[in-house]
Amino acid sequence: MTLLETTVGGLVTANPVWVGSSELTMTLGGLIACVDAGAGAVVAKSVNESAAARRQLDIADYAFVSGTGRVRPAGAARRGDGLLNRSGLAQVDLDDWLAVLAAAVGHGAPRGRPVIGSITLADPVAAARIGRLMAGVVPAVELNVGAPHGREAPAVRRLTEADAVHDAVRVVRDAVDAPLFVKLPGQASDVVALARAARSAGADAVGLVGRYPGFLPDLDGGAILGSWGAWGSPACLPMSLYWVSKARTALGPGVPLVGTNGARTATDVLRFLASGARAVEVVTALWTGGPAVLAELVAGVDAYLRQRATIRGGGLEEFVGSALAGAREYADVPPMRSPAWLPYTARWSRSSGR
């Protein structure tokens, strides 16, 4: 095993930097480009049985938003921008798509870089049928039950209750003879409960978390995109890491987790790993920097882990979840010697003349 090789739900990949499902992985050329750029694994664009979900792609739109709120079109996006978008599923017949997946798998497998099929849930029975066929050509299947567009587009579903997640995953699990990864929403009352439900229904790994519903006025009487959309950004990183770390703590190291939503740099990837993820999916970083970003991320993770190994020993396996050893529940945090808020209120009092 190499320093960066990781196993997630029985799937062995060259490194933990994965590419998530998006328009960038909707063609054979896009899938191959991600493999060749160094991704540990590549998740293909999602499909399902719904013609309406495919038509939704006809109104896809993308706005990139800087940390200061400046809105840029796709061609002017910069590293670190957030992405607000409207999207749909791949517009392709299933048989044709299976052929594309088979070709991509054939390219990635000899390089240790598997290509994973993806289904965005609409009807569980239909998803099971697609999953059964997909498992015949890909080494693993991702089932997305947390699509951020699910609140706006009835052709996809966004499950936020544990019972619903369990029932849907069980139907698909019974049909899919391959590792099954379940991707969950970030906006739910208890994402850990959803992760536990997915696992109890047979998920081999759990993805945390999908992007959030979003809305951004343009202040001229309209809205960016002209509608609601889905939002992901570097600012989402601590929110995503909250659920990854909580799921790792609750479910234990035996449940493989895949992190997503917020990773733009090698440091971001490392923070996902330290929080308990065994792999990290990136998407927006590729929108803003192209496939070459993958080599940068992999090199950064590799350099850090090598340096760490010379000081502490161990490798990726020991690093995953390492941040949790120093994390306490609120009730276990000892009182601060000097309250952290004290200098802030003192400074405010001086500035206000009190």
Side-chain angles (χ1 to χ4, degrees):
M1 177 180 287
T2 64
L3 178 68
L4 292 185
E5 188 175 282
T6 185
T7 302
V8 179
L11 185 72
V12 180
T13 75
N15 64 68
V17 180
W18 294 9
V19 176
S21 171
S22 77
E23 284 82 327
L24 302 175
T25 60
M26 195 164 61
T27 65
L28 179 58
L31 293 165
I32 288 176
C34 292
V35 168
D36 290 348
V42 182
V43 183
K45 178 67 172 173
S46 277
V47 298
N48 72 12
E49 76 285 2
S50 171
R54 295 191 290 275
R55 287 194 299 271
Q56 188 73 21
L57 193 65
D58 292 334
I59 61 167
D61 200 3
Y62 315 87
F64 293 83
V65 186
S66 73
T68 60
R70 182 177 179 182
V71 178
R72 292 187 269 256
R78 298 182 184 178
R79 189 78 172 268
D81 284 353
L83 171 62
L84 180 70
N85 85 310
R86 195 173 51 237
S87 187
L89 302 189
Q91 295 179 333
V92 61
D93 291 336
L94 183 59
D95 288 344
D96 293 338
W97 186 234
L98 294 176
V100 169
L101 291 178
V105 168
H107 183 80
R111 296 163 173 80
R113 306 178 190 280
V115 173
I116 300 168
S118 179
I119 305 166
T120 292
L121 183 71
D123 173 64
V125 174
R129 179 182 64 82
I130 295 170
R132 181 185 297 111
L133 296 171
M134 197 175 276
V137 298
V138 297
V141 175
E142 179 185 87
L143 176 66
N144 185 0
V145 301
H149 304 289
R151 291 183 65 91
E152 313 302 325
V156 296
R157 293 180 65 190
R158 183 171 172 271
L159 305 183
T160 58
E161 299 298 330
D163 288 347
V165 169
H166 180 279
D167 293 348
V169 173
R170 172 51 63 190
V171 171
V172 178
R173 170 76 283 173
D174 288 345
V176 173
D177 186 19
L180 178 66
F181 305 160
V182 176
K183 187 174 181 179
L184 299 173
Q187 193 178 53
S189 60
D190 189 350
V191 177
V192 173
L194 304 188
R196 186 178 284 111
R199 180 67 173 178
S200 68
D204 294 290
V206 178
L208 303 152
V209 291
R211 291 185 299 141
Y212 300 89
F215 181 76
L216 192 64
D218 65 12
L219 304 186
D220 290 323
I224 305 301
L225 303 182
S227 74
W228 290 263
W231 172 250
S233 80
C236 293
L237 181 65
M239 300 156 69
S240 301
L241 298 183
Y242 177 89
W243 288 120
V244 169
S245 62
K246 285 292 187 178
R248 167 80 175 203
T249 301
L251 304 182
V255 178
L257 305 177
V258 179
T260 184
N261 192 1
R264 300 293 191 275
T265 68
T267 298
D268 295 340
V269 173
L270 287 162
R271 283 181 165 145
F272 264 112
L273 299 174
S275 298
R278 299 189 64 86
V280 183
E281 293 181 8
V282 296
V283 174
T284 307
L286 273 71
W287 278 105
T288 60
V293 167
L294 293 168
E296 175 189 327
L297 297 180
V298 173
V301 172
D302 181 71
Y304 177 84
L305 290 179
R306 288 186 185 280
Q307 182 182 36
R308 186 177 188 273
T310 62
I311 299 171
R312 306 184 187 183
L316 177 62
E317 186 68 27
E318 291 74 20
F319 183 67
V320 170
S322 58
L324 301 180
R328 297 185 177 96
E329 299 292 340
Y330 280 15
D332 298 326
V333 177
M336 308 292 288
R337 289 185 179 180
S338 177
W341 49 264
L342 194 59
Y344 295 95
T345 56
R347 186 183 309 139
W348 179 84
S349 296
R350 288 195 300 271
S351 66
S352 62
R354 296 182 181 179

